[in-house]
């Protein structure tokens, strides 16, 4: 009778372990797919390379075709990086040293990309190296972004050094992290003194507190797009002073978060000096206009807008609400006998035929007549067309009355002289007539003259 001997073994744990391993491998492959990480396996005995689907996608190769050999892989690497990659692989095979590197590669269509790769050895149970295994990640977009950033920073640095203004950058806490050479030229201090909080010491003591408060308030409340503007003085080490105009904007990242601030300082010392001189001239002119009782007017010729100062309203005997601020409102206030001459002078000045300089009479609403002396300059655009007439009016009524009185007195003197001459001739031709006494004659003559 034959016998059957059977042995059974519980392999549930092993099967479970195998299932867990397959599940972990599936999860790893899924994670690699989501992260777009390719994996590869290099068998040293067969020299066969096995790629994951993601690696085929990265290199632009068809997964249905045969997987590349090591030589083919080397040929796809950029010539400038090929030797470095091969050396790293050989070092790993010979000495078991894992490697991690970045290199350029050509896709199947010829486009150039960047790859991050990491590899390590595979050992058999005896510790012998039988292959390599690794992962690879397409970092082309990151490299392009880095290159764009480097180019942007290079352009910024070039512009910052070429710019005729001082440029600075602050971090998110308000500490200065960069100043250009122009800042050093303006302040007369080395670049190092512009970093951190030291830049505040360059500001003139009289402006320091005001500037610090204004900047601190702006830093606390500013949003993306907000612009800070301010003026202050810089006190240089040689005690010379310059005025600067400051502008500053928040610097944000792609999400709109403020990561710092960038600004400029422009030397406006010449402008400030010109403003002081202009103010001095303006004050002197205002004093001269006031002391001379000069009225000023401005006529916008294309838009027919006439602007008067307060003295003009006094000269014409009206108030601002009684004036239509147009040419006809002025012309209608002229004496009827003087209007044609005055308007003709205006047209001659606009045509460039003659300077505007004349005298005319104006009639107040109450009928009072005043004499005016007027003068003006015509401002023209590049085409020669008149744009503005700017002029003055001066009340010369008292002078005109004095001139009239002088004319009347002169006429009386001439008449008296003629009477005196006639009397003298009469005396010479008729000597028998007794001459009046000297005293009576002088009194009579005095009365005639005055």
């Amino acid at each position: 009778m034959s016998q059957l001997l059977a042995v059974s073994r519980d392999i549930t744990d092993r099967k479970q372990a195998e299932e867990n391993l397959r599940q972990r491998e599936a999860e790893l492959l899924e994670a690699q797919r989501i992260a777009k990480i390719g994996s590869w396996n290099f068998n040293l005995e067969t020299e066969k390379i096995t790629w994951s689907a993601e690696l085929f996608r990265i290199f632009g190769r068809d997964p249905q075709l045969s997987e590349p050999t090591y030589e083919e892989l080397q040929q796809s690497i950029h010539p400038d990086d090929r030797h470095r990659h091969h050396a790293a692989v050989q070092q790993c095979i010979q000495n078991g040293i894992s490697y991690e590197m970045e290199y350029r590669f050509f896709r199947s269509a010829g486009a150039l990309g960047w790859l991050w790769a990491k590899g390590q050895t595979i050992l058999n149970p005896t510790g012998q190296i039988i292959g390599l295994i690794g992962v690879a990640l397409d970092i082309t977009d990151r490299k392009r972004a880095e290159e764009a950033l480097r180019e942007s920073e290079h352009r910024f640095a070039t512009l910052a050094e070429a710019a005729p203004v001082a440029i600075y950058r602050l971090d998110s806490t308000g500490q200065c992290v960069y100043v250009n050479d122009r800042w050093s030229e303006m302040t007369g201090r080395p670049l190092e003194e512009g970093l951190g909080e030291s830049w505040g010491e360059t500001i003139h003591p009289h402006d320091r507190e005001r500037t610090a408060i204004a900047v601190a308030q702006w830093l606390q409340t500013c949003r993306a797009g907000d612009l800070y503007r301010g003026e202050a003085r810089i006190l240089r080490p040689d005690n010379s002073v310059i005025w600067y105009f400051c502008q500053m904007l928040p610097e944000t990242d792609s999400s709109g978060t403020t990561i710092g601030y960038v600004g400029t300082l422009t030397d406006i010392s010449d402008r400030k000096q010109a403003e002081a001189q202009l103010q001095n001239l303006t004050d002197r002119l205002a004093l001269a206009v006031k002391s001379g009782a000069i009225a000023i007017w401005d006529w916008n010729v294309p838009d027919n807008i006439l602007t008067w100062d307060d003295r003009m309203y006094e000269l014409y005997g009206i108030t601002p609400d009684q004036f239509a601020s147009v040419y006809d409102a002025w012309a209608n206030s002229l004496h009827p006998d003087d209007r044609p001459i005055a308007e003709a002078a205006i047209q001659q000045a606009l045509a460039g035929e003659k300077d505007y300089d004349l005298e005319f009479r104006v009639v107040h609403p109450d009928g009072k007549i005043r004499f005016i002396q007027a003068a003006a300059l015509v401002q023209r655009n590049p085409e020669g067309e008149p744009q503005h007439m700017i002029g003055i009016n001066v009340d010369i009524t008292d002078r005109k009355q004095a001139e009239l009185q002088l004319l009347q007195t002169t006429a009386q003197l001439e008449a008296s002289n003629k009477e005196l001459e006639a009397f003298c001739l009469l005396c010479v031709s008729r000597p028998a007539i007794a001459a009046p006494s000297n005293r009576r004659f002088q009194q009579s003559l005095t009365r005639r003259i005055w």
Side-chain angles (χ1 to χ4, degrees):
M1 172 185 247
S2 62
Q3 296 181 341
L4 176 63
L5 179 63
V7 178
S8 62
R9 180 183 299 172
D10 187 350
I11 59 173
T12 303
D13 291 341
R14 192 191 77 188
K15 286 294 184 180
Q16 185 64 43
E18 292 176 352
E19 179 62 26
N20 291 341
L21 179 60
R22 281 194 296 271
Q23 184 175 352
R24 284 196 298 271
E25 289 177 347
E27 291 175 351
L28 177 60
L29 290 174
E30 179 64 14
Q32 291 177 355
R33 186 188 67 80
I34 295 175
K36 296 183 178 181
I37 298 176
S39 60
W40 53 271
N41 189 313
F42 182 24
N43 190 316
L44 294 178
E45 295 180 357
T46 63
E47 295 187 355
K48 180 181 179 181
I49 300 178
T50 304
W51 277 4
S52 68
E54 180 62 21
L55 207 55
F56 277 101
R57 187 198 67 79
I58 291 174
F59 277 82
R61 295 174 63 96
D62 186 352
Q64 302 300 323
L65 301 178
S66 61
E67 293 171 298
T69 64
Y70 179 75
E71 287 73 18
E72 292 176 336
L73 175 62
Q74 280 292 103
Q75 290 301 315
S76 68
I77 298 175
H78 191 283
D80 293 344
D81 299 338
R82 194 174 297 161
H83 176 74
R84 182 166 55 88
H85 174 268
H86 179 69
V89 172
Q90 293 303 312
Q91 183 78 356
C92 185
I93 293 173
Q94 295 172 8
N95 302 319
I97 301 175
S98 61
Y99 68 89
E100 181 178 345
M101 64 184 305
E102 297 176 357
Y103 59 86
R104 289 163 292 178
F105 71 98
F106 294 101
R107 305 182 198 274
S108 60
L112 184 65
W114 275 90
L115 198 70
W116 169 86
K118 184 174 183 179
Q120 64 183 39
T121 56
I122 302 174
L123 306 178
N124 63 13
T126 64
Q128 182 183 1
I129 298 176
I130 60 174
L132 301 179
I133 191 172
V135 293
L137 176 66
D138 187 347
I139 59 171
T140 304
D141 292 341
R142 191 197 80 191
K143 283 293 185 178
R144 288 174 179 170
E146 291 175 353
E147 180 63 24
L149 179 60
R150 282 193 297 270
E151 291 180 359
S152 176
E153 290 178 342
H154 177 70
R155 286 195 298 269
F156 173 81
T158 302
L159 289 172
E161 295 308 318
V165 298
I167 298 177
Y168 62 91
R169 297 178 70 181
L170 308 180
D171 63 17
S172 59
T173 65
Q175 299 287 315
C176 185
V177 295
Y178 170 82
V179 291
N180 67 345
D181 289 340
R182 178 59 179 150
W183 181 92
S184 182
E185 295 172 7
M186 285 180 60
T187 62
R189 301 170 184 270
L191 297 176
E192 295 76 15
E193 293 192 22
L195 304 180
E197 296 182 349
S198 300
W199 60 270
E201 298 178 2
T202 66
I203 300 176
H204 194 285
H206 294 169
D207 299 337
R208 195 170 296 168
E209 182 177 358
R210 171 180 59 82
T211 302
I213 293 175
V215 171
Q217 291 176 344
W218 180 81
L219 290 175
Q220 292 174 358
T221 61
C222 73
R223 301 181 301 273
D226 286 350
L227 179 64
Y228 169 82
R229 291 187 177 93
E231 295 181 359
R233 290 165 293 180
I234 289 176
L235 180 62
R236 295 163 59 90
D238 60 2
N239 290 325
S240 60
V241 176
I242 65 171
W243 275 92
Y244 70 84
F245 172 68
C246 172
Q247 292 190 108
M248 184 163 54
L249 271 173
E251 185 179 1
T252 59
D253 58 18
S254 58
S255 65
T257 302
T258 298
I259 58 175
Y261 309 88
V262 61
T264 62
L265 302 178
T266 305
D267 188 342
I268 58 171
S269 300
D270 291 343
R271 192 195 81 189
K272 282 293 185 179
Q273 183 177 1
E275 288 176 354
Q277 293 175 346
L278 179 60
Q279 185 61 49
N280 183 43
L281 181 61
T282 300
D283 292 343
R284 294 168 63 184
L285 178 60
L287 180 61
V289 169
K290 183 177 181 180
S291 60
I294 299 173
I296 300 176
W297 55 271
D298 182 343
W299 181 31
N300 182 326
V301 179
D303 298 331
N304 190 24
I305 299 175
L306 192 57
T307 304
W308 284 3
D309 69 355
D310 293 339
R311 178 59 179 161
M312 284 290 293
Y313 294 110
E314 295 177 9
L315 294 187
Y316 286 74
I318 58 176
T319 57
D321 59 335
Q322 295 175 308
F323 186 60
S325 298
V326 294
Y327 175 87
D328 288 341
W330 166 78
N332 291 333
S333 67
L334 302 182
H335 191 286
D337 295 342
D338 297 345
R339 180 169 177 174
I341 299 175
E343 291 189 322
I346 288 282
Q347 295 305 316
Q348 288 176 329
L350 293 177
E353 299 172 357
K354 186 178 179 181
D355 292 339
Y356 183 75
D357 187 0
L358 76 160
E359 297 177 359
F360 54 80
R361 290 166 292 177
V362 297
V363 182
H364 287 193
D366 60 2
K368 185 184 298 182
I369 296 177
R370 307 296 292 180
F371 285 83
I372 302 296
Q373 182 177 10
L377 296 175
V378 179
Q379 294 180 338
R380 305 178 185 276
N381 61 16
E383 290 73 31
E385 299 169 338
Q387 301 298 301
H388 282 265
M389 280 190 73
I390 301 176
I392 61 171
N393 279 189
V394 179
D395 189 338
I396 59 172
T397 304
D398 293 342
R399 194 193 79 191
K400 283 293 185 179
Q401 290 176 345
E403 290 176 354
L404 180 60
Q405 182 64 40
L406 181 60
L407 289 174
Q408 292 174 349
T409 301
T410 302
Q412 291 175 357
L413 286 173
E414 289 178 352
S416 297
N417 287 337
K418 288 180 180 180
E419 290 181 5
L420 180 59
E421 289 175 0
F423 177 78
C424 291
L425 289 174
L426 181 61
C427 290
V428 170
S429 62
R430 300 176 64 182
I433 299 177
S437 65
N438 290 339
R439 183 175 182 181
R440 290 177 60 192
F441 175 74
Q442 291 174 352
Q443 290 176 347
S444 174
L445 181 59
T446 301
R447 284 196 300 270
R448 292 187 179 211
I449 294 176
W450 298 107

